[in-house]
Amino acid sequence: MSRLTAAERDALPDSAFALPGRRYPIPDATHARDALARASEMLHRGDLTQQDYDTVVARAHAVLENE
């Protein structure tokens, strides 16, 4: 998996994150795939709402379609 340093993450615009609060960075296809996996895991654990999950899925798929 591609790793973001703290400086790289801080330099990303808010639009490079799937959720407000700079959660689930999706600057590229690798991170978008990881966001999908993590969001699914968090949804099944009860730590993510269905609405937030749907947002992550939509935003991640948009990134994947452009790659």
Side-chain angles (χ1 to χ4, degrees):
M1 181 183 113
S2 178
R3 304 280 293 164
L4 288 174
T5 65
E8 290 169 333
R9 184 182 171 101
D10 290 345
L12 291 174
D14 287 345
S15 62
F17 292 84
L19 293 177
R22 300 178 64 83
R23 296 177 9 207
Y24 296 94
I26 53 171
D28 54 40
T30 301
H31 283 90
R33 283 187 209 86
D34 187 59
L36 288 171
R38 296 304 134 247
S40 177
E41 177 183 353
M42 297 299 275
L43 177 68
H44 288 94
R45 285 182 19 192
D47 294 332
L48 190 68
T49 66
Q50 184 67 49
Q51 182 178 0
D52 282 348
Y53 174 77
D54 293 343
T55 300
V56 171
V57 169
R59 304 255 348 251
H61 281 162
V63 169
L64 292 170
E65 288 174 4
N66 290 325
E67 289 288 320

